[in-house]
């Protein structure tokens, strides 16, 4: 009987302690997609990337047009040409196509790497601002809004984080 009373008391104490610990959690949420889309640096980075890669993209597009023109010319002239001439021009075009595809692949890899680096910078600033707001307001967890099923009013700190990002950006812009 003594063991049963001790076990019950211990179970009750554990239950009360765990419910008190759960009550101590302070959880907020952010809309990470909104923060990324409205990040103050996003548009400037997009313009920078566009200007940085526009020249190469234009050259690749012009090169593609030249290849397409050669293919069209071969198709038009094929009935008048000997088989050996057709084969020679096809080989030339295939070489141009292969070289073009290699250039496009390198270009895409390079742009993807730079875009990923810039995206990581934006996400890093969102993470830093979120951490600062969470510490300032005493939140123990901050989760993405897409994971939230229900939340009470006042737990969405998205706008606070966006303001913190903008505030951190202002001194650097001067």
């Amino acid at each position: 009987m003594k063991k049963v009373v001790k076990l019950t008391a211990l179970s009750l104490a554990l239950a009360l302690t765990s419910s008190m610990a759960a009550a101590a959690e302070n959880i907020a949420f952010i809309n990470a997609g909104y923060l990324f889309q409205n990040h103050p640096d996003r548009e400037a980075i997009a313009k920078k990337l566009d200007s940085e890669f526009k020249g190469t993209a234009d050259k690749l597009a012009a090169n593609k047009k030249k290849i397409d023109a050669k293919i069209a010319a071969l198709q038009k002239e094929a009935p008048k040409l000997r088989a050996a001439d057709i084969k020679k021009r096809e080989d030339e075009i295939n070489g141009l196509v292969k070289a073009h595809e290699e250039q496009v692949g390198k270009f895409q890899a390079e742009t993807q790497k730079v875009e990923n680096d810039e995206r990581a910078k934006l996400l890093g600033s969102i993470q830093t601002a979120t951490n600062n707001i969470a510490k300032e307001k005493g939140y123990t967890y901050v989760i993405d809004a897409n994971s939230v099923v229900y939340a009470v009013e006042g737990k969405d700190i998205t706008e606070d984080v966006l303001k913190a990002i903008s505030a951190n950006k202002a001194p650097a812009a001067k």
Side-chain angles (χ1 to χ4, degrees):
M1 177 84 169
K2 214 174 190 185
K3 282 187 177 182
V4 173
V5 172
K6 282 184 180 180
L7 188 59
T8 304
L10 184 59
S11 297
L12 187 58
L14 284 173
L16 288 174
T17 305
S18 66
S19 67
M20 288 169 51
E25 298 299 333
N26 192 7
I27 301 171
F29 66 94
I30 60 168
N31 185 332
Y34 176 84
L35 289 171
F36 186 78
Q37 288 297 318
N38 293 291
H39 195 290
D41 294 339
R42 190 173 90 42
E43 194 172 315
I45 289 172
K47 285 179 183 177
K48 175 188 150 203
L49 293 177
D50 189 41
S51 67
E52 184 176 329
F53 294 115
K54 186 174 179 9
T56 305
D58 290 345
K59 287 178 186 175
L60 289 172
N63 191 24
K64 175 75 170 130
K65 282 185 180 183
K66 287 179 185 176
I67 293 170
D68 290 343
K70 287 184 183 247
I71 292 170
L74 177 59
Q75 289 172 342
K76 182 179 176 185
E77 297 170 7
K80 302 174 193 171
L81 296 173
R82 294 179 304 154
D85 291 336
I86 292 173
K87 175 75 171 126
K88 181 180 173 185
R89 288 176 70 180
E90 284 176 342
D91 290 344
E92 176 190 348
I93 291 171
N94 288 338
L96 292 173
V97 168
K98 183 178 177 186
H100 177 73
E101 288 174 353
E102 287 175 5
Q103 290 173 341
V104 168
K106 287 178 185 176
F107 176 71
Q108 288 174 337
E110 182 182 342
T111 57
Q112 189 66 41
K113 181 188 178 306
V114 173
E115 286 174 0
N116 288 342
D117 291 346
E118 294 298 332
R119 185 178 302 117
K121 289 177 188 175
L122 291 178
L123 293 175
S125 70
I126 291 170
Q127 182 68 49
T128 301
T130 301
N131 291 350
N132 292 341
I133 295 294
K135 288 175 185 172
E136 176 184 311
K137 295 192 176 193
Y139 293 114
T140 52
Y141 295 101
V142 177
I143 58 177
D144 186 51
N146 292 328
S147 302
V148 175
V149 176
Y150 171 79
V152 295
E153 188 94 15
K155 293 294 185 169
D156 183 354
I157 60 169
T158 302
E159 289 300 325
D160 295 335
V161 172
L162 190 58
K163 288 176 188 171
I165 293 169
S166 297
N168 288 341
K169 180 185 182 278
K174 290 182 181 177

